Amino acid sequence: MRYAIFGDVHANLDALNAVLDDISSADVDGYLCLGDIVGYGAEPNECIARIREIGAVTVAGNHDHAAVGKTTIEYFNSEAREAVLWTRETISDENKAYLEGLPLVRKMGDALTLVHSTLYAPDRFSYILNPFDAEMCFQRLETPVCFVGHSHVALIFHKADAIEPAFVTDMQFGESETAIVNVGSVGQPRDLDPRAAYGLYDTESRRVEIRRVEYPVDFAIRKILDVGLPQANAIRLRLGR
Ligand code: ZN
C-alpha cells in the first residue's frame, strides 16, 4: 500500500488544497491525517469537509480536542487560545461531532501507527524532540513505523542499533528496523520553510519521502486577518515559524 500522510493543517485550506493536488499525481491507495485539522487558521469547516471528502483515516490533535472542549487550553499561547475560542463558535455541529469522534491513536493493520503526539501519553500532547522521547514511543510501538505530527517540523527517528534523528526528505527502512516519522505541517510549517509539508510511505518497500509544496500563502494570510484572528497567526505563515 502507498499512503499519503499529512497533518497540522490548522484550518489552512489553501495549503491543504495544494497538498491534495500534489498527492493526486502520486498514485496513493489512501490518505492518513495526523490531526490538528483546525486551530490558528480561518477555514476550519472547509478543511474538515475536504478531509472527510477524501476519506482520510484521521487521529485527533490537541487543537481538534480543544475546539470541542475535550482538552484544556491553559497551556496554549494567547494567539492559539483566541483561535480555539473562535473555532468553537465557527464550526458546525456536525463538524464538532466529527472532531469529538476522532481517536487519539490508530493502527493500520501490522503496517503502521498514527498518533498526533506520543504513544506513551497521547492525551497529554507532549512532543517527540529527542532520542529519549522517541525511545519511550518505540517501547510502545507494535508496527514497524509510527507517524506523528504536533511539532510542525519534519524529522525521522530511525532505530537500528541506536536511535538516530535525521532531518532528511527520504529514507528507506530495513526489515529489522523501526522508525518514528514526523511528516511536518501542511498549514503552519515551523522549520523556516513556508511551503506545506507532507509524507508519502510505501508499506512494501518501507520507503518514506517528505515532500514540500508551494501554496498561495498570501491568500491564507488575508483570510486570517479578514475574520479577525490574531495577526501573529497570519505573519508566521510567511516566515515558516
Ligand atoms: Zn499543530
Side-chain angles (χ1 to χ4, degrees), residues 6-233:
F6 63 91
D8 295 284
V9 172
H10 286 297
N12 185 340
L13 184 66
D14 296 295
L16 178 61
N17 281 337
V19 162
L20 294 180
D21 219 43
D22 199 68
I23 293 170
S24 66
S25 62
D27 189 27
V28 297
D29 301 304
Y31 298 89
L32 309 176
C33 175
L34 293 161
D36 274 6
I37 303 171
V38 304
Y40 294 115
E43 293 181 289
N45 284 308
E46 293 80 354
C47 288
I48 295 171
R50 280 298 269 141
I51 285 164
R52 296 180 71 182
E53 194 179 286
I54 59 171
V57 173
T58 303
V59 289
N62 51 323
H63 286 257
D64 305 319
H65 268 188
V68 293
K70 278 181 94 169
T71 191
T72 175
I73 54 171
E74 273 167 33
Y75 66 94
F76 280 50
N77 66 42
S78 63
E79 288 86 14
R81 200 178 305 144
E82 202 176 320
V84 167
L85 298 176
W86 177 86
T87 303
R88 275 183 196 167
E89 297 296 309
T90 305
I91 54 173
S92 68
D93 288 346
E94 196 194 331
N95 285 337
K96 262 183 205 158
Y98 171 76
L99 294 181
E100 259 162 11
L102 292 176
L104 287 164
V105 183
R106 276 183 110 140
K107 240 173 83 180
M108 303 296 291
D110 298 331
L112 61 93
T113 307
L114 305 173
V115 65
H116 184 69
S117 59
T118 72
L119 287 177
Y120 55 88
D123 58 340
R124 287 219 309 271
F125 301 109
S126 313
Y127 293 91
I128 303 174
L129 299 173
N130 55 54
F132 178 77
D133 305 330
E135 175 54 25
M136 293 209 291
C137 275
F138 278 120
Q139 285 172 8
R140 286 157 182 85
L141 185 60
E142 294 168 354
T143 56
V145 187
C146 180
F147 288 92
V148 302
H150 200 33
S151 71
H152 299 203
V153 175
L155 172 63
I156 300 175
F157 288 96
H158 169 238
K159 188 175 187 181
D161 295 326
I163 299 174
E164 306 273 358
F167 293 97
V168 294
T169 56
D170 206 307
M171 198 179 258
Q172 187 148 11
F173 313 121
E175 281 291 309
S176 58
E177 295 168 354
T178 51
I180 294 167
V181 180
N182 189 318
V183 297
S185 165
V186 171
Q188 195 197 78
R190 295 180 190 161
D191 59 355
L192 304 180
D193 180 345
R195 293 176 302 166
Y198 78 96
L200 291 172
Y201 180 63
D202 189 315
T203 59
E204 237 117 275
S205 65
R206 292 194 178 193
R207 179 168 171 264
V208 67
E209 184 191 342
I210 308 289
R211 288 201 180 180
R212 301 304 288 253
V213 185
E214 303 254 8
Y215 76 94
V217 177
D218 288 345
F219 288 9
I221 286 177
R222 174 48 48 208
K223 289 170 188 171
I224 287 173
L225 299 176
D226 282 352
V227 299
L229 282 167
Q231 205 177 21
N233 295 359

